[in-house]
mmCIF file of all heavy atoms in Angstrom:
data_model
loop_
_atom_site.group_PDB
_atom_site.id
_atom_site.type_symbol
_atom_site.label_atom_id
_atom_site.label_comp_id
_atom_site.label_asym_id
_atom_site.label_seq_id
_atom_site.Cartn_x
_atom_site.Cartn_y
_atom_site.Cartn_z
ATOM 1 N N ALA K 1 -10.230 -30.094 -2.835
ATOM 2 C CA ALA K 1 -10.964 -28.862 -2.536
ATOM 3 C C ALA K 1 -10.640 -28.376 -1.127
ATOM 4 O O ALA K 1 -10.398 -27.189 -0.910
ATOM 5 C CB ALA K 1 -12.463 -29.090 -2.687
ATOM 6 N N PHE K 2 -10.590 -29.287 -0.164
ATOM 7 C CA PHE K 2 -10.268 -28.915 1.211
ATOM 8 C C PHE K 2 -8.865 -28.309 1.296
ATOM 9 O O PHE K 2 -8.655 -27.286 1.951
ATOM 10 C CB PHE K 2 -10.373 -30.128 2.138
ATOM 11 C CG PHE K 2 -9.867 -29.867 3.525
ATOM 12 C CD1 PHE K 2 -10.606 -29.119 4.415
ATOM 13 C CD2 PHE K 2 -8.629 -30.356 3.921
ATOM 14 C CE1 PHE K 2 -10.133 -28.855 5.687
ATOM 15 C CE2 PHE K 2 -8.142 -30.091 5.181
ATOM 16 C CZ PHE K 2 -8.895 -29.355 6.082
ATOM 17 N N LEU K 3 -7.897 -28.925 0.635
ATOM 18 C CA LEU K 3 -6.524 -28.410 0.660
ATOM 19 C C LEU K 3 -6.434 -27.028 0.016
ATOM 20 O O LEU K 3 -5.743 -26.143 0.527
ATOM 21 C CB LEU K 3 -5.573 -29.389 -0.030
ATOM 22 C CG LEU K 3 -5.322 -30.699 0.718
ATOM 23 C CD1 LEU K 3 -4.504 -31.646 -0.148
ATOM 24 C CD2 LEU K 3 -4.648 -30.453 2.050
ATOM 25 N N MET K 4 -7.122 -26.843 -1.091
ATOM 26 C CA MET K 4 -7.072 -25.546 -1.769
ATOM 27 C C MET K 4 -7.773 -24.471 -0.944
ATOM 28 O O MET K 4 -7.310 -23.332 -0.888
ATOM 29 C CB MET K 4 -7.677 -25.638 -3.167
ATOM 30 C CG MET K 4 -6.889 -26.537 -4.107
ATOM 31 S SD MET K 4 -5.157 -26.101 -4.253
ATOM 32 C CE MET K 4 -5.269 -24.699 -5.316
ATOM 33 N N PHE K 5 -8.889 -24.801 -0.291
ATOM 34 C CA PHE K 5 -9.552 -23.839 0.592
ATOM 35 C C PHE K 5 -8.633 -23.489 1.763
ATOM 36 O O PHE K 5 -8.562 -22.337 2.192
ATOM 37 C CB PHE K 5 -10.881 -24.380 1.124
ATOM 38 C CG PHE K 5 -12.013 -24.299 0.149
ATOM 39 C CD1 PHE K 5 -12.759 -25.428 -0.150
ATOM 40 C CD2 PHE K 5 -12.352 -23.104 -0.467
ATOM 41 C CE1 PHE K 5 -13.816 -25.357 -1.049
ATOM 42 C CE2 PHE K 5 -13.405 -23.029 -1.363
ATOM 43 C CZ PHE K 5 -14.136 -24.154 -1.657
ATOM 44 N N SER K 6 -7.930 -24.481 2.290
ATOM 45 C CA SER K 6 -7.008 -24.247 3.405
ATOM 46 C C SER K 6 -5.862 -23.335 2.992
ATOM 47 O O SER K 6 -5.473 -22.440 3.739
ATOM 48 C CB SER K 6 -6.451 -25.573 3.923
ATOM 49 O OG SER K 6 -7.484 -26.369 4.433
ATOM 50 N N VAL K 7 -5.320 -23.554 1.803
ATOM 51 C CA VAL K 7 -4.247 -22.704 1.300
ATOM 52 C C VAL K 7 -4.767 -21.288 1.093
ATOM 53 O O VAL K 7 -4.078 -20.309 1.392
ATOM 54 C CB VAL K 7 -3.654 -23.278 -0.009
ATOM 55 C CG1 VAL K 7 -2.769 -22.281 -0.710
ATOM 56 C CG2 VAL K 7 -2.895 -24.560 0.283
ATOM 57 N N LYS K 8 -5.981 -21.158 0.592
ATOM 58 C CA LYS K 8 -6.574 -19.843 0.350
ATOM 59 C C LYS K 8 -6.711 -19.051 1.648
ATOM 60 O O LYS K 8 -6.556 -17.838 1.656
ATOM 61 C CB LYS K 8 -7.943 -20.016 -0.322
ATOM 62 C CG LYS K 8 -8.532 -18.763 -0.829
ATOM 63 C CD LYS K 8 -7.835 -18.322 -2.070
ATOM 64 C CE LYS K 8 -8.566 -17.143 -2.653
ATOM 65 N NZ LYS K 8 -7.742 -16.382 -3.523
ATOM 66 N N LYS K 9 -6.976 -19.737 2.767
ATOM 67 C CA LYS K 9 -7.104 -19.059 4.056
ATOM 68 C C LYS K 9 -5.773 -18.464 4.504
ATOM 69 O O LYS K 9 -5.760 -17.536 5.307
ATOM 70 C CB LYS K 9 -7.607 -20.029 5.119
ATOM 71 C CG LYS K 9 -9.056 -20.354 5.015
ATOM 72 C CD LYS K 9 -9.443 -21.279 6.146
ATOM 73 C CE LYS K 9 -10.847 -21.797 5.990
ATOM 74 N NZ LYS K 9 -11.183 -22.738 7.053
ATOM 75 N N LEU K 10 -4.666 -19.019 4.036
ATOM 76 C CA LEU K 10 -3.352 -18.532 4.436
ATOM 77 C C LEU K 10 -3.001 -17.206 3.776
ATOM 78 O O LEU K 10 -2.095 -16.520 4.224
ATOM 79 C CB LEU K 10 -2.273 -19.560 4.067
ATOM 80 C CG LEU K 10 -2.344 -20.890 4.803
ATOM 81 C CD1 LEU K 10 -1.293 -21.842 4.234
ATOM 82 C CD2 LEU K 10 -2.150 -20.700 6.290
ATOM 83 N N GLU K 11 -3.719 -16.861 2.714
ATOM 84 C CA GLU K 11 -3.433 -15.629 2.002
ATOM 85 C C GLU K 11 -3.696 -14.433 2.910
ATOM 86 O O GLU K 11 -4.728 -14.335 3.549
ATOM 87 C CB GLU K 11 -4.308 -15.537 0.756
ATOM 88 C CG GLU K 11 -3.990 -14.346 -0.114
ATOM 89 C CD GLU K 11 -4.837 -14.347 -1.370
ATOM 90 O OE1 GLU K 11 -4.689 -15.262 -2.178
ATOM 91 O OE2 GLU K 11 -5.657 -13.437 -1.493
ATOM 92 N N LYS K 12 -2.742 -13.537 2.946
ATOM 93 C CA LYS K 12 -2.852 -12.373 3.817
ATOM 94 C C LYS K 12 -3.284 -11.169 2.997
ATOM 95 O O LYS K 12 -2.599 -10.751 2.075
ATOM 96 C CB LYS K 12 -1.505 -12.102 4.479
ATOM 97 C CG LYS K 12 -1.523 -10.960 5.443
ATOM 98 C CD LYS K 12 -0.155 -10.778 6.075
ATOM 99 C CE LYS K 12 -0.149 -9.612 7.011
ATOM 100 N NZ LYS K 12 1.180 -9.401 7.571
ATOM 101 N N LYS K 13 -4.433 -10.620 3.335
ATOM 102 C CA LYS K 13 -4.921 -9.404 2.696
ATOM 103 C C LYS K 13 -4.664 -8.248 3.646
ATOM 104 O O LYS K 13 -5.163 -8.235 4.764
ATOM 105 C CB LYS K 13 -6.428 -9.488 2.409
ATOM 106 C CG LYS K 13 -6.804 -10.522 1.403
ATOM 107 C CD LYS K 13 -6.599 -9.990 0.037
ATOM 108 C CE LYS K 13 -7.143 -10.992 -0.963
ATOM 109 N NZ LYS K 13 -6.856 -10.636 -2.288
ATOM 110 N N VAL K 14 -3.868 -7.315 3.203
ATOM 111 C CA VAL K 14 -3.548 -6.168 4.034
ATOM 112 C C VAL K 14 -4.320 -4.972 3.515
ATOM 113 O O VAL K 14 -4.186 -4.586 2.364
ATOM 114 C CB VAL K 14 -2.031 -5.867 4.017
ATOM 115 C CG1 VAL K 14 -1.713 -4.630 4.819
ATOM 116 C CG2 VAL K 14 -1.263 -7.062 4.526
ATOM 117 N N LYS K 15 -5.121 -4.408 4.376
ATOM 118 C CA LYS K 15 -5.850 -3.187 4.034
ATOM 119 C C LYS K 15 -4.925 -2.033 4.342
ATOM 120 O O LYS K 15 -4.471 -1.860 5.464
ATOM 121 C CB LYS K 15 -7.138 -3.097 4.868
ATOM 122 C CG LYS K 15 -7.887 -1.808 4.727
ATOM 123 C CD LYS K 15 -8.718 -1.788 3.462
ATOM 124 C CE LYS K 15 -9.629 -0.585 3.459
ATOM 125 N NZ LYS K 15 -9.201 0.489 2.628
ATOM 126 N N LYS K 16 -4.610 -1.244 3.330
ATOM 127 C CA LYS K 16 -3.705 -0.121 3.518
ATOM 128 C C LYS K 16 -4.471 1.066 4.083
ATOM 129 O O LYS K 16 -5.377 1.585 3.460
ATOM 130 C CB LYS K 16 -3.049 0.261 2.196
ATOM 131 C CG LYS K 16 -2.053 -0.747 1.723
ATOM 132 C CD LYS K 16 -1.308 -0.245 0.524
ATOM 133 C CE LYS K 16 -0.293 -1.272 0.081
ATOM 134 N NZ LYS K 16 0.455 -0.822 -1.061
ATOM 135 N N ASP K 17 -4.077 1.452 5.282
ATOM 136 C CA ASP K 17 -4.661 2.621 5.920
ATOM 137 C C ASP K 17 -3.753 3.805 5.607
ATOM 138 O O ASP K 17 -2.701 3.978 6.221
ATOM 139 C CB ASP K 17 -4.773 2.409 7.428
ATOM 140 C CG ASP K 17 -5.411 3.588 8.136
ATOM 141 O OD1 ASP K 17 -5.993 4.467 7.445
ATOM 142 O OD2 ASP K 17 -5.334 3.635 9.379
ATOM 143 N N LYS K 18 -4.159 4.604 4.645
ATOM 144 C CA LYS K 18 -3.316 5.708 4.188
ATOM 145 C C LYS K 18 -3.126 6.771 5.259
ATOM 146 O O LYS K 18 -2.198 7.562 5.182
ATOM 147 C CB LYS K 18 -3.886 6.308 2.900
ATOM 148 C CG LYS K 18 -3.754 5.365 1.729
ATOM 149 C CD LYS K 18 -4.207 5.986 0.438
ATOM 150 C CE LYS K 18 -4.009 4.996 -0.702
ATOM 151 N NZ LYS K 18 -4.526 5.480 -1.942
ATOM 152 N N ASN K 19 -3.968 6.771 6.292
ATOM 153 C CA ASN K 19 -3.804 7.738 7.380
ATOM 154 C C ASN K 19 -2.494 7.518 8.134
ATOM 155 O O ASN K 19 -2.000 8.433 8.791
ATOM 156 C CB ASN K 19 -4.992 7.683 8.339
ATOM 157 C CG ASN K 19 -6.241 8.248 7.700
ATOM 158 O OD1 ASN K 19 -6.201 9.275 7.029
ATOM 159 N ND2 ASN K 19 -7.355 7.558 7.876
ATOM 160 N N THR K 20 -1.926 6.306 8.034
ATOM 161 C CA THR K 20 -0.644 6.054 8.698
ATOM 162 C C THR K 20 0.501 6.791 8.007
ATOM 163 O O THR K 20 1.589 6.883 8.559
ATOM 164 C CB THR K 20 -0.314 4.549 8.729
ATOM 165 O OG1 THR K 20 -0.191 4.065 7.391
ATOM 166 C CG2 THR K 20 -1.370 3.760 9.483
ATOM 167 N N ALA K 21 0.258 7.325 6.831
ATOM 168 C CA ALA K 21 1.299 8.041 6.094
ATOM 169 C C ALA K 21 1.394 9.518 6.474
ATOM 170 O O ALA K 21 2.349 10.190 6.087
ATOM 171 C CB ALA K 21 1.046 7.925 4.591
ATOM 172 N N VAL K 22 0.434 10.018 7.245
ATOM 173 C CA VAL K 22 0.452 11.439 7.628
ATOM 174 C C VAL K 22 1.729 11.718 8.424
ATOM 175 O O VAL K 22 2.104 10.961 9.316
ATOM 176 C CB VAL K 22 -0.807 11.805 8.437
ATOM 177 C CG1 VAL K 22 -0.722 13.231 8.963
ATOM 178 C CG2 VAL K 22 -2.050 11.625 7.585
ATOM 179 N N LYS K 23 2.400 12.812 8.055
ATOM 180 C CA LYS K 23 3.664 13.273 8.644
ATOM 181 C C LYS K 23 4.854 12.400 8.253
ATOM 182 O O LYS K 23 5.959 12.626 8.720
ATOM 183 C CB LYS K 23 3.568 13.396 10.167
ATOM 184 C CG LYS K 23 2.558 14.421 10.616
ATOM 185 C CD LYS K 23 2.543 14.568 12.107
ATOM 186 C CE LYS K 23 1.464 15.575 12.491
ATOM 187 N NZ LYS K 23 1.266 15.640 13.927
ATOM 188 N N GLN K 24 4.645 11.407 7.402
ATOM 189 C CA GLN K 24 5.746 10.566 6.926
ATOM 190 C C GLN K 24 6.468 11.281 5.797
ATOM 191 O O GLN K 24 5.869 12.046 5.045
ATOM 192 C CB GLN K 24 5.211 9.225 6.393
ATOM 193 C CG GLN K 24 4.622 8.350 7.445
ATOM 194 C CD GLN K 24 5.567 7.227 7.803
ATOM 195 O OE1 GLN K 24 6.659 7.116 7.268
ATOM 196 N NE2 GLN K 24 5.127 6.406 8.736
ATOM 197 N N VAL K 25 7.749 10.985 5.668
ATOM 198 C CA VAL K 25 8.555 11.539 4.580
ATOM 199 C C VAL K 25 8.733 10.449 3.532
ATOM 200 O O VAL K 25 8.998 9.294 3.856
ATOM 201 C CB VAL K 25 9.926 12.031 5.105
ATOM 202 C CG1 VAL K 25 10.818 12.476 3.961
ATOM 203 C CG2 VAL K 25 9.728 13.159 6.094
ATOM 204 N N GLY K 26 8.570 10.840 2.273
ATOM 205 C CA GLY K 26 8.760 9.926 1.160
ATOM 206 C C GLY K 26 9.398 10.654 -0.005
ATOM 207 O O GLY K 26 9.993 11.723 0.163
ATOM 208 N N ARG K 27 9.256 10.090 -1.179
ATOM 209 C CA ARG K 27 9.816 10.707 -2.386
ATOM 210 C C ARG K 27 8.716 10.882 -3.430
ATOM 211 O O ARG K 27 7.841 10.037 -3.563
ATOM 212 C CB ARG K 27 10.900 9.831 -2.997
ATOM 213 C CG ARG K 27 12.158 9.755 -2.192
ATOM 214 C CD ARG K 27 13.307 9.226 -3.064
ATOM 215 N NE ARG K 27 14.520 9.118 -2.292
ATOM 216 C CZ ARG K 27 15.344 10.126 -2.040
ATOM 217 N NH1 ARG K 27 15.088 11.302 -2.513
ATOM 218 N NH2 ARG K 27 16.433 9.940 -1.327
ATOM 219 N N ALA K 28 8.832 11.981 -4.160
ATOM 220 C CA ALA K 28 7.926 12.182 -5.293
ATOM 221 C C ALA K 28 8.304 11.159 -6.351
ATOM 222 O O ALA K 28 9.479 10.982 -6.674
ATOM 223 C CB ALA K 28 8.050 13.593 -5.832
ATOM 224 N N TYR K 29 7.350 10.470 -6.866
ATOM 225 C CA TYR K 29 7.593 9.455 -7.894
ATOM 226 C C TYR K 29 7.484 10.085 -9.280
ATOM 227 O O TYR K 29 8.112 9.636 -10.219
ATOM 228 C CB TYR K 29 6.578 8.319 -7.702
ATOM 229 C CG TYR K 29 6.927 7.042 -8.412
ATOM 230 C CD1 TYR K 29 7.967 6.245 -7.961
ATOM 231 C CD2 TYR K 29 6.207 6.619 -9.525
ATOM 232 C CE1 TYR K 29 8.277 5.059 -8.600
ATOM 233 C CE2 TYR K 29 6.513 5.442 -10.161
ATOM 234 C CZ TYR K 29 7.552 4.659 -9.696
ATOM 235 O OH TYR K 29 7.860 3.490 -10.336
ATOM 236 N N THR K 30 6.659 11.107 -9.366
ATOM 237 C CA THR K 30 6.478 11.853 -10.615
ATOM 238 C C THR K 30 6.625 13.341 -10.314
ATOM 239 O O THR K 30 6.677 13.741 -9.155
ATOM 240 C CB THR K 30 5.073 11.600 -11.216
ATOM 241 O OG1 THR K 30 4.090 12.011 -10.271
ATOM 242 C CG2 THR K 30 4.868 10.144 -11.585
ATOM 243 N N ASN K 31 6.670 14.151 -11.361
ATOM 244 C CA ASN K 31 6.694 15.604 -11.176
ATOM 245 C C ASN K 31 5.297 16.082 -10.796
ATOM 246 O O ASN K 31 4.295 15.574 -11.307
ATOM 247 C CB ASN K 31 7.141 16.309 -12.456
ATOM 248 C CG ASN K 31 8.593 16.041 -12.773
ATOM 249 O OD1 ASN K 31 9.419 15.875 -11.883
ATOM 250 N ND2 ASN K 31 8.918 16.003 -14.061
ATOM 251 N N PHE K 32 5.248 17.088 -9.922
ATOM 252 C CA PHE K 32 3.985 17.684 -9.495
ATOM 253 C C PHE K 32 3.982 19.154 -9.886
ATOM 254 O O PHE K 32 4.881 19.900 -9.500
ATOM 255 C CB PHE K 32 3.827 17.611 -7.968
ATOM 256 C CG PHE K 32 3.506 16.261 -7.435
ATOM 257 C CD1 PHE K 32 4.501 15.325 -7.222
ATOM 258 C CD2 PHE K 32 2.204 15.910 -7.118
ATOM 259 C CE1 PHE K 32 4.215 14.076 -6.710
ATOM 260 C CE2 PHE K 32 1.902 14.663 -6.609
ATOM 261 C CZ PHE K 32 2.904 13.740 -6.406
ATOM 262 N N GLU K 33 2.997 19.548 -10.621
ATOM 263 C CA GLU K 33 2.774 20.971 -10.875
ATOM 264 C C GLU K 33 2.212 21.577 -9.596
ATOM 265 O O GLU K 33 1.695 20.857 -8.739
ATOM 266 C CB GLU K 33 1.776 21.155 -12.033
ATOM 267 C CG GLU K 33 2.262 20.631 -13.371
ATOM 268 C CD GLU K 33 3.489 21.355 -13.890
ATOM 269 O OE1 GLU K 33 3.576 22.583 -13.691
ATOM 270 O OE2 GLU K 33 4.363 20.698 -14.469
ATOM 271 N N PRO K 34 2.271 22.902 -9.442
ATOM 272 C CA PRO K 34 1.639 23.513 -8.265
ATOM 273 C C PRO K 34 0.158 23.116 -8.192
ATOM 274 O O PRO K 34 -0.570 23.198 -9.188
ATOM 275 C CB PRO K 34 1.806 25.014 -8.509
ATOM 276 C CG PRO K 34 3.027 25.112 -9.375
ATOM 277 C CD PRO K 34 2.977 23.887 -10.255
ATOM 278 N N LEU K 35 -0.254 22.636 -7.055
ATOM 279 C CA LEU K 35 -1.619 22.140 -6.815
ATOM 280 C C LEU K 35 -2.008 21.011 -7.776
ATOM 281 O O LEU K 35 -3.193 20.743 -7.992
ATOM 282 C CB LEU K 35 -2.646 23.272 -6.884
ATOM 283 C CG LEU K 35 -2.441 24.412 -5.890
ATOM 284 C CD1 LEU K 35 -3.441 25.530 -6.143
ATOM 285 C CD2 LEU K 35 -2.532 23.908 -4.460
ATOM 286 N N GLY K 36 -1.017 20.328 -8.350
ATOM 287 C CA GLY K 36 -1.271 19.271 -9.326
ATOM 288 C C GLY K 36 -1.237 17.877 -8.707
ATOM 289 O O GLY K 36 -0.945 17.694 -7.530
ATOM 290 N N MET K 37 -1.547 16.908 -9.542
ATOM 291 C CA MET K 37 -1.615 15.503 -9.134
ATOM 292 C C MET K 37 -0.381 14.760 -9.629
ATOM 293 O O MET K 37 0.233 15.143 -10.613
ATOM 294 C CB MET K 37 -2.870 14.839 -9.716
ATOM 295 C CG MET K 37 -4.175 15.429 -9.256
ATOM 296 S SD MET K 37 -4.595 14.943 -7.594
ATOM 297 C CE MET K 37 -4.878 13.217 -7.832
ATOM 298 N N GLY K 38 -0.073 13.681 -8.948
ATOM 299 C CA GLY K 38 1.027 12.813 -9.337
ATOM 300 C C GLY K 38 1.068 11.607 -8.421
ATOM 301 O O GLY K 38 0.054 11.248 -7.820
ATOM 302 N N GLN K 39 2.247 10.998 -8.330
ATOM 303 C CA GLN K 39 2.391 9.834 -7.470
ATOM 304 C C GLN K 39 3.605 9.995 -6.580
ATOM 305 O O GLN K 39 4.598 10.625 -6.966
ATOM 306 C CB GLN K 39 2.532 8.559 -8.298
ATOM 307 C CG GLN K 39 1.265 8.190 -9.022
ATOM 308 C CD GLN K 39 1.394 6.857 -9.719
ATOM 309 O OE1 GLN K 39 2.454 6.523 -10.241
ATOM 310 N NE2 GLN K 39 0.324 6.089 -9.727
ATOM 311 N N VAL K 40 3.507 9.392 -5.385
ATOM 312 C CA VAL K 40 4.605 9.415 -4.431
ATOM 313 C C VAL K 40 4.934 7.993 -4.004
ATOM 314 O O VAL K 40 4.096 7.093 -4.093
ATOM 315 C CB VAL K 40 4.272 10.264 -3.181
ATOM 316 C CG1 VAL K 40 4.090 11.716 -3.553
ATOM 317 C CG2 VAL K 40 3.067 9.728 -2.452
ATOM 318 N N GLU K 41 6.167 7.836 -3.560
ATOM 319 C CA GLU K 41 6.608 6.564 -3.007
ATOM 320 C C GLU K 41 6.764 6.787 -1.508
ATOM 321 O O GLU K 41 7.591 7.605 -1.076
ATOM 322 C CB GLU K 41 7.936 6.168 -3.642
ATOM 323 C CG GLU K 41 8.451 4.832 -3.195
ATOM 324 C CD GLU K 41 9.755 4.490 -3.881
ATOM 325 O OE1 GLU K 41 10.739 5.241 -3.714
ATOM 326 O OE2 GLU K 41 9.782 3.465 -4.568
ATOM 327 N N ILE K 42 5.950 6.093 -0.724
ATOM 328 C CA ILE K 42 5.925 6.334 0.722
ATOM 329 C C ILE K 42 5.556 5.047 1.442
ATOM 330 O O ILE K 42 4.929 4.159 0.856
ATOM 331 C CB ILE K 42 4.940 7.478 1.075
ATOM 332 C CG1 ILE K 42 5.181 7.966 2.475
ATOM 333 C CG2 ILE K 42 3.511 7.068 0.855
ATOM 334 C CD1 ILE K 42 4.855 9.414 2.659
ATOM 335 N N GLU K 43 5.913 4.977 2.709
ATOM 336 C CA GLU K 43 5.608 3.797 3.503
ATOM 337 C C GLU K 43 4.204 3.922 4.090
ATOM 338 O O GLU K 43 3.884 4.895 4.777
ATOM 339 C CB GLU K 43 6.631 3.668 4.628
ATOM 340 C CG GLU K 43 6.585 2.341 5.317
ATOM 341 C CD GLU K 43 7.730 2.162 6.295
ATOM 342 O OE1 GLU K 43 8.889 2.291 5.868
ATOM 343 O OE2 GLU K 43 7.436 1.920 7.472
ATOM 344 N N ILE K 44 3.387 2.922 3.810
ATOM 345 C CA ILE K 44 2.026 2.856 4.346
ATOM 346 C C ILE K 44 1.881 1.507 5.020
ATOM 347 O O ILE K 44 2.099 0.476 4.382
ATOM 348 C CB ILE K 44 0.963 3.022 3.235
ATOM 349 C CG1 ILE K 44 1.115 4.372 2.551
ATOM 350 C CG2 ILE K 44 -0.435 2.846 3.807
ATOM 351 C CD1 ILE K 44 0.194 4.575 1.373
ATOM 352 N N ASN K 45 1.515 1.507 6.282
ATOM 353 C CA ASN K 45 1.399 0.262 7.067
ATOM 354 C C ASN K 45 2.687 -0.557 7.008
ATOM 355 O O ASN K 45 2.650 -1.775 6.926
ATOM 356 C CB ASN K 45 0.235 -0.608 6.591
ATOM 357 C CG ASN K 45 -1.106 -0.071 6.971
ATOM 358 O OD1 ASN K 45 -1.215 0.967 7.596
ATOM 359 N ND2 ASN K 45 -2.150 -0.779 6.588
ATOM 360 N N GLY K 46 3.821 0.106 6.992
ATOM 361 C CA GLY K 46 5.093 -0.602 6.982
ATOM 362 C C GLY K 46 5.486 -1.164 5.635
ATOM 363 O O GLY K 46 6.459 -1.894 5.525
ATOM 364 N N GLN K 47 4.746 -0.855 4.583
ATOM 365 C CA GLN K 47 5.040 -1.356 3.246
ATOM 366 C C GLN K 47 5.252 -0.178 2.310
ATOM 367 O O GLN K 47 4.428 0.723 2.239
ATOM 368 C CB GLN K 47 3.886 -2.220 2.740
ATOM 369 C CG GLN K 47 4.127 -2.803 1.372
ATOM 370 C CD GLN K 47 2.949 -3.652 0.903
ATOM 371 O OE1 GLN K 47 1.902 -3.693 1.529
ATOM 372 N NE2 GLN K 47 3.131 -4.311 -0.214
ATOM 373 N N LEU K 48 6.372 -0.197 1.588
ATOM 374 C CA LEU K 48 6.663 0.858 0.632
ATOM 375 C C LEU K 48 5.666 0.773 -0.520
ATOM 376 O O LEU K 48 5.500 -0.284 -1.126
ATOM 377 C CB LEU K 48 8.098 0.721 0.114
ATOM 378 C CG LEU K 48 8.658 1.920 -0.624
ATOM 379 C CD1 LEU K 48 8.672 3.158 0.262
ATOM 380 C CD2 LEU K 48 10.062 1.627 -1.119
#
């Protein structure tokens, strides 16, 4: 139990702050209609 708890502490949880993506350039992942929704591929907190 001690070893497993210790290993669990090593897990890194990264909270993605989407505000870091402002003014960043990325790619549209899906098609977007005018004023429509979709998905983009962009770097947030240094992670694509």
